[in-house]
Amino acid sequence: MTKRFPPINPKCPHFIHGGDYNPDQWLRTPEVLDEDMRLMKLSGCNTMTAGVFSWASYEPREGEFHFDWLDAAMDKIAKNGGYVVLATPSGSRPAWMSEKYPEVCRVNARFGMNREPHQGRHNHCRTSPVYREKCRIINTKLAERYKDHPALLVWHVSNEYNGGPCHCELCLEAFREWLKRRYDHDLDKLNHAWWTAFWGHSFGEWEQINPVDWSIHGMMLDWNRFNTDQTIDFFKAECEPLRRLTPDIPITTNLMGFSPTLDYFKIAREMDVVSWDSYPPYHDRSDDWKYGAHVSLAHDLNRSLKQKPHMQMECSPGVQNWKPVNKLKRPGLHIVEGLQCIAHGGDSVQYFQWRKNRGGIEKFHGAVVDHYPSENTRVFKEVSELGKILASLDDVVGTTVNAEVAILYDWENRWAIDQISGPRREKKDYQETCVEHYRSFWSSGVSCDVVNEDSDYSKYKLLIAPMLYMVRPGCAERIEEFVRNGGVFVTTYLSGIANESDLCFTNGYPGPLRELMGVWAEEIDALYDEEKVEVLAAEGNEAGLNGAYAATTFCDLVHLEGAKALAAYNSEFYKGRPAATVNHHGQGRAYYIASRNDDRFHADFYNTLINDLKLRRALGCKLPNGVTAQVRTDGQRDFIFILGFNREPVQIDLGAQKYRDVVSGVEVQSTLALPAYTTRVLEPVS
Ligand code: GLA
Ligand code: ZN
């Protein structure tokens, strides 16, 4: 049953629209605040994200607190009908703290395993009791002061937690304690799980364990797990005063898409609402729509983490400043990017940042209000246009996405793949491979969720798990059950290789999936960048494969053990061996794609599955290249978002169905002209 979720905070029954706001950088020109209020209303922004890096202005000297500027800003924003996403400031700390309590600074490899000097940001020790206590004090003060403030909408805890590990004595000690719990205080158990007999690295005492030895893959996996858990522990400590004093204010922390270092599935469990920061490198040498698809998958991930509307906490309203080349966002693309979040189930469009700062490393980063603070800039006008569109879409707030397809992306699997040495060191590209498999659904307007190895798969028709290298206990069993009950499962080369400690399976790859897949994967060939192996579709195969395809990077050599070949390699010494197979199992089936294939392979293969499984598409018709359509629904009303990432105009042939343009109210039928970089929101009319 599809339902409508309440708004992120019922105080604001609209889409949240706004940006990071730093009035503490403008204390010498207080008139800026009034001007900001005028511009805020003009741009259709309703929410400011305040205080992300404001600790030094709240507490310039230990124990001396000032909140006057924030009082003034919050009051003004409330008076003007706006809201505040209020941050806790732990992303950067005042200089006095690093000076007086050096233990708060991270010890890491970037500084030769020394403490980082006071600089930059996002570099605190997560274990330090002093840092946790200082965070508790400032967070308590903020919660006490603003708990009844009408503007307070959401807590934004810290900023972009990242996994850059801290190697201080406190963190190492906490890691060893974490290991004792994981391995039942049994060093033998740990030594076995990590296969430390290799290169003679067995540990005789817990104190000898130091997570710098990249040759012990099991240890590095546990170190990553520990860093996620320690981040969660730190996050929960930060949340404690907020939960106690403001139980009704939802809490988030801003994630970073597929950022490799922390397991977001775990962190999301502790959040009330998921949010993330999106910075795709549009207009580089690749097609814009490819980044569009990548960002779509990231939105699907963020929505799926809690299976409810998420937030886009940051994106640049204009240019970025930290890419090697920072191109201006082409006209129209910003609106596409904003509505893309909404299309995929998000309930906010927020920016870094509201007003460009005059100094500091990010002074050339895009903002709604430029150094010359005019409402006549291209960027301001485009933000304002998006503001108007968002304001006309109140009926969409809280609706959701109903996916029949799930893409399996798992952080622990990624850590394992990233560190393996072989079959290729480079171009393993787990994340990109997931996007490549997703693109066919994106191009056909079929919604997808993102799941991991611990998820429940029973509600999906199709589960796609590219490169499922690590298979943790219970996962293969749940996949088998899913297929037995009629589900369709797809996996690829480099799957079913190792367990949760990165110990290789010894029952023949794909290990615990071997019986389900009906293949034994004996060896895997790696190709140089320029090499290709031809893959030829079998005559009359049931997967819609047709003709010759090009395989690159990885070619798995499998033996059929009950599965049927759908295609075969057509060159190399393995010419004639199966390159894609299907195994019918229970009421479902399981596909093994043995090589990394070209886009045409994915299109033929997945479009056939889309038709066979009658997967719901946003629009009944074919979409032009570079365009996707995504549906949000409350079970009664469907809102179809059409997102066009093309530089040139295209046209959609809508067929017989009539629609209403939800923004303009105009009826749309037969053909829909899409100018370059454009969006439409349609509702079917009978
Ligand atoms: C990140 C940070 C912001 C800002 C932007 C710039 O997402 O959270 O503070 O630095 O990048 O793109
Ligand atoms: Zn530390």
Side-chain angles (χ1 to χ4, degrees), residues 45-92:
C45 285
N46 56 19
T47 303
M48 297 292 199
T49 303
V52 183
F53 299 109
S54 298
W55 201 338
S57 81
Y58 298 144
E59 194 180 358
R61 281 161 290 277
E62 188 172 15
E64 180 192 319
F65 295 96
H66 302 270
F67 295 101
D68 304 3
W69 67 265
L70 186 58
D71 290 350
M74 297 222 4
D75 290 352
K76 277 224 158 97
I77 291 168
K79 218 170 111 211
N80 284 279
Y83 306 96
V84 172
V85 169
L86 187 56
T88 68
S90 65
S92 87

Short mmCIF file of all heavy atoms in Angstrom, two decimals, residues 45-92:
data_model
loop_
_atom_site.label_atom_id
_atom_site.label_comp_id
_atom_site.label_asym_id
_atom_site.label_seq_id
_atom_site.Cartn_x
_atom_site.Cartn_y
_atom_site.Cartn_z
N CYS A 45 12.89 30.96 -1.60
CA CYS A 45 13.54 30.11 -0.60
C CYS A 45 12.78 30.25 0.72
O CYS A 45 12.33 31.34 1.06
CB CYS A 45 15.01 30.50 -0.40
SG CYS A 45 16.06 29.95 -1.77
N ASN A 46 12.64 29.14 1.43
CA ASN A 46 11.90 29.21 2.69
C ASN A 46 12.71 28.74 3.88
O ASN A 46 12.23 28.78 5.01
CB ASN A 46 10.58 28.41 2.58
CG ASN A 46 10.82 26.96 2.17
OD1 ASN A 46 11.93 26.45 2.29
ND2 ASN A 46 9.78 26.29 1.68
N THR A 47 13.95 28.29 3.63
CA THR A 47 14.71 27.68 4.73
C THR A 47 16.20 28.02 4.62
O THR A 47 16.77 27.95 3.53
CB THR A 47 14.55 26.15 4.70
OG1 THR A 47 13.16 25.85 4.78
CG2 THR A 47 15.26 25.49 5.86
N MET A 48 16.80 28.38 5.73
CA MET A 48 18.23 28.63 5.76
C MET A 48 18.90 27.59 6.67
O MET A 48 18.36 27.25 7.72
CB MET A 48 18.51 30.02 6.33
CG MET A 48 17.93 31.13 5.49
SD MET A 48 18.78 31.24 3.89
CE MET A 48 18.33 32.89 3.40
N THR A 49 20.06 27.13 6.26
CA THR A 49 20.83 26.18 7.07
C THR A 49 21.91 26.96 7.80
O THR A 49 22.85 27.44 7.18
CB THR A 49 21.48 25.11 6.17
OG1 THR A 49 20.44 24.47 5.43
CG2 THR A 49 22.24 24.09 6.99
N ALA A 50 21.75 27.09 9.10
CA ALA A 50 22.65 28.00 9.83
C ALA A 50 23.61 27.25 10.74
O ALA A 50 23.30 26.15 11.23
CB ALA A 50 21.82 28.98 10.66
N GLY A 51 24.77 27.88 10.94
CA GLY A 51 25.67 27.46 12.00
C GLY A 51 26.52 26.25 11.72
O GLY A 51 27.06 25.65 12.66
N VAL A 52 26.71 25.90 10.45
CA VAL A 52 27.46 24.66 10.17
C VAL A 52 28.90 24.76 10.68
O VAL A 52 29.45 23.79 11.21
CB VAL A 52 27.43 24.32 8.66
CG1 VAL A 52 28.14 23.00 8.40
CG2 VAL A 52 26.00 24.25 8.14
N PHE A 53 29.48 25.93 10.52
CA PHE A 53 30.89 26.09 10.96
C PHE A 53 31.02 27.26 11.94
O PHE A 53 31.97 28.03 11.87
CB PHE A 53 31.80 26.30 9.75
CG PHE A 53 31.76 25.13 8.79
CD1 PHE A 53 31.15 25.24 7.55
CD2 PHE A 53 32.32 23.91 9.14
CE1 PHE A 53 31.11 24.17 6.68
CE2 PHE A 53 32.27 22.82 8.28
CZ PHE A 53 31.67 22.95 7.05
N SER A 54 30.08 27.40 12.87
CA SER A 54 30.02 28.62 13.68
C SER A 54 30.54 28.48 15.11
O SER A 54 30.36 29.38 15.92
CB SER A 54 28.58 29.13 13.73
OG SER A 54 28.14 29.46 12.43
N TRP A 55 31.20 27.38 15.41
CA TRP A 55 31.58 27.17 16.80
C TRP A 55 32.46 28.32 17.32
O TRP A 55 32.26 28.83 18.44
CB TRP A 55 32.29 25.83 16.94
CG TRP A 55 32.30 25.26 18.33
CD1 TRP A 55 32.13 25.95 19.51
CD2 TRP A 55 32.46 23.89 18.69
NE1 TRP A 55 32.17 25.09 20.57
CE2 TRP A 55 32.38 23.82 20.10
CE3 TRP A 55 32.67 22.71 17.98
CZ2 TRP A 55 32.51 22.61 20.80
CZ3 TRP A 55 32.80 21.53 18.67
CH2 TRP A 55 32.72 21.47 20.07
N ALA A 56 33.43 28.75 16.52
CA ALA A 56 34.33 29.80 16.99
C ALA A 56 33.59 31.12 17.23
O ALA A 56 34.04 31.95 18.02
CB ALA A 56 35.48 30.00 16.01
N SER A 57 32.48 31.31 16.55
CA SER A 57 31.76 32.56 16.84
C SER A 57 30.81 32.38 18.04
O SER A 57 30.54 33.33 18.75
CB SER A 57 31.04 33.11 15.61
OG SER A 57 29.83 32.46 15.40
N TYR A 58 30.34 31.16 18.28
CA TYR A 58 29.54 30.94 19.50
C TYR A 58 30.40 30.97 20.75
O TYR A 58 29.98 31.43 21.79
CB TYR A 58 28.88 29.54 19.50
CG TYR A 58 27.91 29.23 18.40
CD1 TYR A 58 27.86 27.94 17.88
CD2 TYR A 58 27.02 30.18 17.91
CE1 TYR A 58 26.95 27.60 16.89
CE2 TYR A 58 26.11 29.84 16.92
CZ TYR A 58 26.09 28.56 16.41
OH TYR A 58 25.19 28.21 15.43
N GLU A 59 31.59 30.39 20.63
CA GLU A 59 32.43 30.20 21.83
C GLU A 59 33.87 30.61 21.50
O GLU A 59 34.74 29.77 21.35
CB GLU A 59 32.37 28.72 22.27
CG GLU A 59 32.90 28.48 23.67
CD GLU A 59 32.84 27.00 24.10
OE1 GLU A 59 32.35 26.15 23.33
OE2 GLU A 59 33.31 26.70 25.22
N PRO A 60 34.11 31.92 21.38
CA PRO A 60 35.44 32.37 20.94
C PRO A 60 36.54 32.03 21.94
O PRO A 60 37.70 31.87 21.57
CB PRO A 60 35.28 33.88 20.78
CG PRO A 60 34.06 34.24 21.57
CD PRO A 60 33.18 33.03 21.59
N ARG A 61 36.17 31.96 23.21
CA ARG A 61 37.09 31.51 24.25
C ARG A 61 36.35 30.47 25.09
O ARG A 61 35.12 30.54 25.20
CB ARG A 61 37.52 32.70 25.13
CG ARG A 61 38.62 33.54 24.48
CD ARG A 61 38.74 34.92 25.09
NE ARG A 61 37.58 35.73 24.72
CZ ARG A 61 37.46 36.39 23.56
NH1 ARG A 61 38.42 36.37 22.66
NH2 ARG A 61 36.35 37.08 23.30
N GLU A 62 37.10 29.55 25.65
CA GLU A 62 36.46 28.43 26.33
C GLU A 62 35.43 28.92 27.36
O GLU A 62 35.73 29.75 28.22
CB GLU A 62 37.52 27.57 27.04
CG GLU A 62 36.94 26.28 27.59
CD GLU A 62 38.03 25.34 28.11
OE1 GLU A 62 39.18 25.78 28.30
OE2 GLU A 62 37.71 24.15 28.33
N GLY A 63 34.22 28.44 27.26
CA GLY A 63 33.19 28.75 28.25
C GLY A 63 32.54 30.11 28.08
O GLY A 63 31.64 30.46 28.85
N GLU A 64 32.96 30.88 27.06
CA GLU A 64 32.35 32.21 26.84
C GLU A 64 31.45 32.12 25.60
O GLU A 64 31.94 31.95 24.49
CB GLU A 64 33.48 33.22 26.61
CG GLU A 64 32.99 34.63 26.37
CD GLU A 64 34.13 35.52 25.86
OE1 GLU A 64 35.28 35.41 26.36
OE2 GLU A 64 33.86 36.30 24.93
N PHE A 65 30.15 32.22 25.81
CA PHE A 65 29.21 31.94 24.72
C PHE A 65 28.50 33.19 24.21
O PHE A 65 28.13 34.06 25.01
CB PHE A 65 28.17 30.91 25.19
CG PHE A 65 28.77 29.57 25.49
CD1 PHE A 65 29.11 29.23 26.80
CD2 PHE A 65 29.03 28.66 24.48
CE1 PHE A 65 29.69 28.01 27.08
CE2 PHE A 65 29.60 27.43 24.76
CZ PHE A 65 29.93 27.10 26.06
N HIS A 66 28.33 33.27 22.92
CA HIS A 66 27.59 34.37 22.28
C HIS A 66 26.65 33.80 21.23
O HIS A 66 27.10 33.10 20.33
CB HIS A 66 28.57 35.31 21.54
CG HIS A 66 29.60 35.90 22.43
ND1 HIS A 66 29.43 37.08 23.09
CD2 HIS A 66 30.82 35.44 22.78
CE1 HIS A 66 30.51 37.35 23.82
NE2 HIS A 66 31.37 36.36 23.65
N PHE A 67 25.39 34.12 21.38
CA PHE A 67 24.45 33.64 20.36
C PHE A 67 23.65 34.77 19.74
O PHE A 67 22.64 34.53 19.08
CB PHE A 67 23.49 32.61 20.97
CG PHE A 67 24.18 31.35 21.44
CD1 PHE A 67 24.46 31.16 22.79
CD2 PHE A 67 24.55 30.37 20.54
CE1 PHE A 67 25.11 30.01 23.22
CE2 PHE A 67 25.19 29.21 20.96
CZ PHE A 67 25.47 29.03 22.31
N ASP A 68 24.11 36.01 19.99
CA ASP A 68 23.29 37.16 19.57
C ASP A 68 22.99 37.14 18.07
O ASP A 68 21.86 37.36 17.66
CB ASP A 68 24.02 38.48 19.88
CG ASP A 68 24.37 38.56 21.34
OD1 ASP A 68 24.09 37.58 22.06
OD2 ASP A 68 24.92 39.59 21.77
N TRP A 69 24.02 36.89 17.28
CA TRP A 69 23.79 36.94 15.83
C TRP A 69 22.82 35.87 15.37
O TRP A 69 22.01 36.08 14.48
CB TRP A 69 25.11 36.86 15.05
CG TRP A 69 25.81 35.54 15.16
CD1 TRP A 69 26.80 35.22 16.03
CD2 TRP A 69 25.56 34.36 14.38
NE1 TRP A 69 27.19 33.91 15.85
CE2 TRP A 69 26.45 33.36 14.84
CE3 TRP A 69 24.70 34.04 13.35
CZ2 TRP A 69 26.48 32.08 14.30
CZ3 TRP A 69 24.73 32.76 12.81
CH2 TRP A 69 25.61 31.80 13.29
N LEU A 70 22.89 34.70 16.03
CA LEU A 70 21.98 33.63 15.63
C LEU A 70 20.56 33.93 16.11
O LEU A 70 19.58 33.69 15.38
CB LEU A 70 22.47 32.28 16.19
CG LEU A 70 21.68 31.06 15.71
CD1 LEU A 70 21.68 30.92 14.19
CD2 LEU A 70 22.22 29.77 16.33
N ASP A 71 20.46 34.52 17.31
CA ASP A 71 19.13 34.96 17.79
C ASP A 71 18.50 35.87 16.74
O ASP A 71 17.35 35.68 16.33
CB ASP A 71 19.23 35.77 19.09
CG ASP A 71 19.64 34.91 20.29
OD1 ASP A 71 19.65 33.69 20.15
OD2 ASP A 71 19.96 35.51 21.35
N ALA A 72 19.29 36.87 16.33
CA ALA A 72 18.76 37.88 15.39
C ALA A 72 18.36 37.22 14.08
O ALA A 72 17.29 37.49 13.53
CB ALA A 72 19.82 38.97 15.15
N ALA A 73 19.23 36.33 13.58
CA ALA A 73 18.95 35.70 12.29
C ALA A 73 17.71 34.80 12.39
O ALA A 73 16.82 34.86 11.54
CB ALA A 73 20.15 34.88 11.83
N MET A 74 17.64 34.01 13.44
CA MET A 74 16.49 33.09 13.56
C MET A 74 15.19 33.87 13.72
O MET A 74 14.16 33.52 13.14
CB MET A 74 16.69 32.12 14.73
CG MET A 74 17.90 31.25 14.47
SD MET A 74 17.91 29.50 14.82
CE MET A 74 16.41 28.91 15.37
N ASP A 75 15.25 34.94 14.51
CA ASP A 75 14.03 35.76 14.70
C ASP A 75 13.59 36.36 13.37
O ASP A 75 12.41 36.34 13.02
CB ASP A 75 14.27 36.88 15.71
CG ASP A 75 14.44 36.33 17.13
OD1 ASP A 75 14.22 35.12 17.32
OD2 ASP A 75 14.82 37.11 18.04
N LYS A 76 14.56 36.92 12.66
CA LYS A 76 14.21 37.57 11.37
C LYS A 76 13.65 36.55 10.39
O LYS A 76 12.67 36.82 9.69
CB LYS A 76 15.47 38.20 10.75
CG LYS A 76 15.76 39.55 11.32
CD LYS A 76 16.13 40.56 10.23
CE LYS A 76 15.86 41.96 10.76
NZ LYS A 76 16.98 42.65 11.31
N ILE A 77 14.28 35.39 10.34
CA ILE A 77 13.82 34.36 9.40
C ILE A 77 12.39 33.95 9.76
O ILE A 77 11.52 33.85 8.89
CB ILE A 77 14.79 33.16 9.39
CG1 ILE A 77 16.13 33.58 8.76
CG2 ILE A 77 14.21 31.97 8.62
CD1 ILE A 77 17.26 32.60 8.93
N ALA A 78 12.15 33.74 11.05
CA ALA A 78 10.79 33.35 11.47
C ALA A 78 9.79 34.45 11.12
O ALA A 78 8.71 34.18 10.60
CB ALA A 78 10.77 33.06 12.96
N LYS A 79 10.19 35.70 11.38
CA LYS A 79 9.28 36.81 11.11
C LYS A 79 8.92 36.90 9.62
O LYS A 79 7.83 37.32 9.25
CB LYS A 79 9.97 38.12 11.54
CG LYS A 79 9.00 39.09 12.17
CD LYS A 79 9.70 40.27 12.81
CE LYS A 79 9.38 41.51 12.00
NZ LYS A 79 10.42 42.51 12.01
N ASN A 80 9.86 36.45 8.81
CA ASN A 80 9.63 36.49 7.36
C ASN A 80 9.04 35.19 6.83
O ASN A 80 9.06 34.93 5.63
CB ASN A 80 10.94 36.82 6.64
CG ASN A 80 11.27 38.29 6.77
OD1 ASN A 80 10.74 39.11 6.02
ND2 ASN A 80 12.11 38.64 7.74
N GLY A 81 8.56 34.37 7.73
CA GLY A 81 7.87 33.15 7.30
C GLY A 81 8.80 32.00 6.94
O GLY A 81 8.37 31.04 6.32
N GLY A 82 10.07 32.11 7.31
CA GLY A 82 11.02 31.06 6.93
C GLY A 82 11.36 30.13 8.08
O GLY A 82 10.89 30.30 9.22
N TYR A 83 12.21 29.15 7.77
CA TYR A 83 12.61 28.14 8.76
C TYR A 83 14.13 28.02 8.76
O TYR A 83 14.80 28.45 7.83
CB TYR A 83 12.01 26.79 8.40
CG TYR A 83 10.52 26.84 8.23
CD1 TYR A 83 9.95 26.97 6.96
CD2 TYR A 83 9.67 26.79 9.34
CE1 TYR A 83 8.58 27.04 6.80
CE2 TYR A 83 8.29 26.86 9.18
CZ TYR A 83 7.75 26.99 7.91
OH TYR A 83 6.40 27.06 7.75
N VAL A 84 14.61 27.35 9.82
CA VAL A 84 16.06 27.16 9.91
C VAL A 84 16.39 25.68 10.12
O VAL A 84 15.80 25.02 10.97
CB VAL A 84 16.65 27.98 11.08
CG1 VAL A 84 18.11 27.64 11.31
CG2 VAL A 84 16.50 29.47 10.81
N VAL A 85 17.27 25.18 9.27
CA VAL A 85 17.91 23.89 9.54
C VAL A 85 19.14 24.25 10.35
O VAL A 85 20.05 24.91 9.85
CB VAL A 85 18.29 23.18 8.22
CG1 VAL A 85 19.16 21.98 8.48
CG2 VAL A 85 17.02 22.76 7.46
N LEU A 86 19.13 23.88 11.61
CA LEU A 86 20.20 24.35 12.50
C LEU A 86 21.25 23.25 12.68
O LEU A 86 20.92 22.12 13.03
CB LEU A 86 19.61 24.75 13.86
CG LEU A 86 20.57 25.42 14.83
CD1 LEU A 86 21.23 26.67 14.23
CD2 LEU A 86 19.84 25.82 16.12
N ALA A 87 22.49 23.64 12.43
CA ALA A 87 23.58 22.66 12.50
C ALA A 87 24.17 22.62 13.91
O ALA A 87 24.10 23.58 14.67
CB ALA A 87 24.66 23.03 11.50
N THR A 88 24.79 21.49 14.23
CA THR A 88 25.71 21.46 15.35
C THR A 88 27.09 21.69 14.74
O THR A 88 27.34 21.28 13.60
CB THR A 88 25.66 20.13 16.11
OG1 THR A 88 26.18 19.09 15.27
CG2 THR A 88 24.23 19.79 16.53
N PRO A 89 27.98 22.37 15.47
CA PRO A 89 29.18 22.89 14.79
C PRO A 89 30.41 22.00 14.81
O PRO A 89 31.52 22.48 14.56
CB PRO A 89 29.43 24.19 15.57
CG PRO A 89 28.98 23.87 16.95
CD PRO A 89 27.85 22.88 16.84
N SER A 90 30.26 20.70 15.05
CA SER A 90 31.45 19.88 15.29
C SER A 90 32.32 19.67 14.06
O SER A 90 33.42 19.13 14.16
CB SER A 90 31.04 18.52 15.86
OG SER A 90 30.29 17.80 14.90
N GLY A 91 31.84 20.10 12.88
CA GLY A 91 32.66 19.94 11.67
C GLY A 91 33.95 20.75 11.72
O GLY A 91 34.93 20.40 11.05
N SER A 92 33.95 21.84 12.48
CA SER A 92 35.22 22.56 12.71
C SER A 92 35.17 23.19 14.09
O SER A 92 34.11 23.58 14.56
CB SER A 92 35.48 23.62 11.63
OG SER A 92 34.87 24.84 11.99
#
